[in-house]
Amino acid sequence: MSKLGSLGARLHRGEVGYDFVGKRKIWYGISILITITAILGLAVRGLNMGIEFQGGAVFTTPKHMTASVTQAESFATDASGHDAVVQKLGDGSLRIQIAGIDTDKSDAIKEKLAGDLKINSETINADLVGPSWGDQIANKAWEGLAIFMVLVVIYLAIAFEWRMALAALVALIHDITITTGIYALVGFEVTPGTVIGLLTILGYSLYDTVVVFDSLKEQTKDITKQTRWTYSDVANRSINSTLVRSINTTVVALLPVAGLLFIGGGFLGAGMLNDISLSLFVGLAAGAYSSIFIATPLVADLKEREPQMKALRKRVLAKRAQAAAQGEPVEPEYVDETEDEPEDAAPAVVGPRGQAGARNQPSSRNRGRGRPSGKRR
């Protein structure tokens, strides 16, 4: 088995681990700092909305143009009076995008461009986008995002509980804010592809969160019937048990997206790939971060406020203090406190798989029953 596989197995069994929940204030502070930076970026620079949202025109020149991108940008700005975005395509043609212009002025701009580029205006293909259509696209995007959020909260509240639904919602808003803030700071164009990428990464983020929540739900069943772990302890073990899986899933997903962003969009100059690849790259990384460092610690915070969890924490800490005073291990063995259960009943499922307290293990009350003691007869 590889070192990473061995580490993953040990994390899953609870033999090693990192205290994610115990250091949650650090992660909250980092997230707040990143979120404030993203919001400032949105407030100061704003989003560079694409032509689909603002309206305008896209002019495509014939193949094998001799004019450079810089020259074409200058010509387009002079002809329209608006900033232009020019991309050189693989066949040598130029894609000149001018947002915020009236569509009835497109013919005049096209003629002026043809004259400056020294080509026939009939060879320039013009695609017009009206501002009303862009508004419809923006509204549909917001509606889709709102519906997605509502459905997520309803599903998680039914499948798990409202605290997990709230934590997942906070993590998703965290991911959206960071991704849009990065777009504002970098200045990449926001297109329908960006919206598609954003909705896609929310699905990835939710997947990682649900994996941890499912493990947490299983391991905290009847948690109040034992005195070994607090809810935060089990939440931390749930993160560690799924940590390697989350890392592997994220890395495998990030590799092709990084190829699109850095090689396709950056090295090869296929700028049209940037709109979707940046949202996927930033969103996947932010989603993995929020699933580990935000969602589950937040659930632990909310659950620890419940009276029964406060009482459990008090019992656990008291027992650990007693064990420490007696020189015993600080984390005591599993104790079955369900006196009314039959002797052959399986104890509650608490803690990671393979640990004391898992199903099909004898309770402390039944340990030793049926075993011979003393001399063999």
Side-chain angles (χ1 to χ4, degrees), residues 122-243:
E122 297 298 326
T123 62
I124 298 179
N125 182 43
D127 294 321
L128 308 179
V129 180
S132 60
W133 188 81
D135 290 339
Q136 292 177 6
I137 292 294
N139 292 334
K140 292 296 183 183
W142 284 112
E143 289 176 6
L145 182 61
I147 293 172
F148 175 83
M149 292 291 193
V150 171
L151 293 177
V152 164
V153 171
I154 293 174
Y155 167 74
L156 291 179
I158 295 174
F160 299 100
E161 60 173 300
W162 70 266
R163 295 169 187 82
M164 291 184 176
L166 178 60
L169 180 62
V170 170
L172 290 177
I173 294 175
H174 167 274
D175 299 341
I176 294 173
T177 304
I178 290 178
T179 305
T180 54
I182 293 295
Y183 259 86
L185 293 172
V186 174
F188 278 12
E189 189 177 53
V190 178
T191 68
T194 306
V195 178
I196 295 172
L198 189 63
L199 293 175
T200 302
I201 61 99
L202 293 181
Y204 273 101
S205 174
L206 188 63
Y207 168 78
D208 278 344
T209 302
V210 168
V211 167
V212 181
F213 283 179
D214 185 64
S215 174
L216 181 58
K217 179 183 177 181
E218 177 187 353
Q219 296 187 40
T220 55
K221 183 179 179 181
D222 296 329
I223 187 175
T224 56
K225 296 180 180 179
Q226 52 82 51
T227 56
R228 182 174 182 179
W229 296 291
T230 65
Y231 191 94
S232 294
D233 294 334
V234 181
N236 193 66
R237 291 173 183 270
S238 296
I239 297 176
N240 281 279
S241 67
T242 58
L243 181 61

Side-chain angles (χ1 to χ4, degrees), residues 60-99:
T60 306
T61 66
K63 301 177 182 179
H64 310 299
M65 290 294 300
T66 57
S68 66
V69 171
T70 303
Q71 290 175 328
E73 286 179 351
S74 177
F75 294 153
T77 301
D78 292 340
S80 63
H82 292 74
D83 291 335
V85 178
V86 179
Q87 297 172 340
K88 193 152 193 175
L89 305 181
D91 58 2
S93 60
L94 297 175
R95 183 178 184 269
I96 303 170
Q97 180 176 299
I98 307 172

